Amino acid sequence: MRKELQINLQYVDVLNEWDPFHLTSGGYETEIADTVQAIHELDDYDKLAQKIQSIYEFSFEEIIPIEKCLKVAKELLSIKANDSCSI
C-alpha cells in the first residue's frame, strides 16, 4: 500500500507542476483527486487526456487545449507504466 501512495504522490507532483491556469498557489485539489482516480481507471493516452480536459473544464469553465492534456496524460501514464513494470 505504501508504494501506491508514493505513486499517487508522483501524480500529484506532476499535476501541481502542470498548473494549466497559472494559479501558482495551487487550487487544483479537487481536479487532482479526480485525475488521479481517472489514471487508475484508464490506460489510454487519448481517453485520459479527454477525461483531464473534462475535469478541468467542469471546474473552471474553460477548455484546456487537448494537446496540453495529452502531454500531461502521457507523462502520468508513463509513471503508471513504470510502476507496473517494476518488481
Side-chain angles (χ1 to χ4, degrees):
M1 185 67 162
R2 182 179 180 136
K3 183 172 177 121
E4 184 177 326
L5 177 61
Q6 290 176 326
I7 298 301
N8 285 341
L9 290 174
Q10 287 181 22
Y11 298 147
V12 170
D13 287 344
V14 168
L15 291 165
N16 273 322
E17 288 175 24
W18 185 40
D19 192 14
F21 295 110
H22 309 289
L23 300 181
T24 63
S25 61
Y28 298 110
E29 292 82 10
T30 302
E31 296 76 27
I32 288 174
D34 291 346
T35 301
V36 169
Q37 181 63 39
I39 296 164
H40 290 290
E41 296 170 359
L42 302 169
D43 290 318
D44 179 87
Y45 297 124
D46 292 320
K47 289 180 182 174
L48 182 57
Q50 291 170 2
K51 182 69 174 176
I52 292 168
Q53 186 182 51
S54 143
I55 289 167
Y56 282 80
E57 179 184 1
F58 181 81
S59 295
F60 293 93
E61 298 180 348
E62 188 175 333
I63 298 174
I64 301 169
I66 197 67
E67 300 81 22
K68 291 182 179 184
C69 296
L70 190 56
K71 183 178 178 187
V72 79
K74 287 180 178 179
E75 188 172 352
L76 294 166
L77 288 180
S78 74
I79 293 169
K80 182 179 180 178
N82 287 338
D83 175 52
S84 66
C85 292
S86 64
I87 298 176

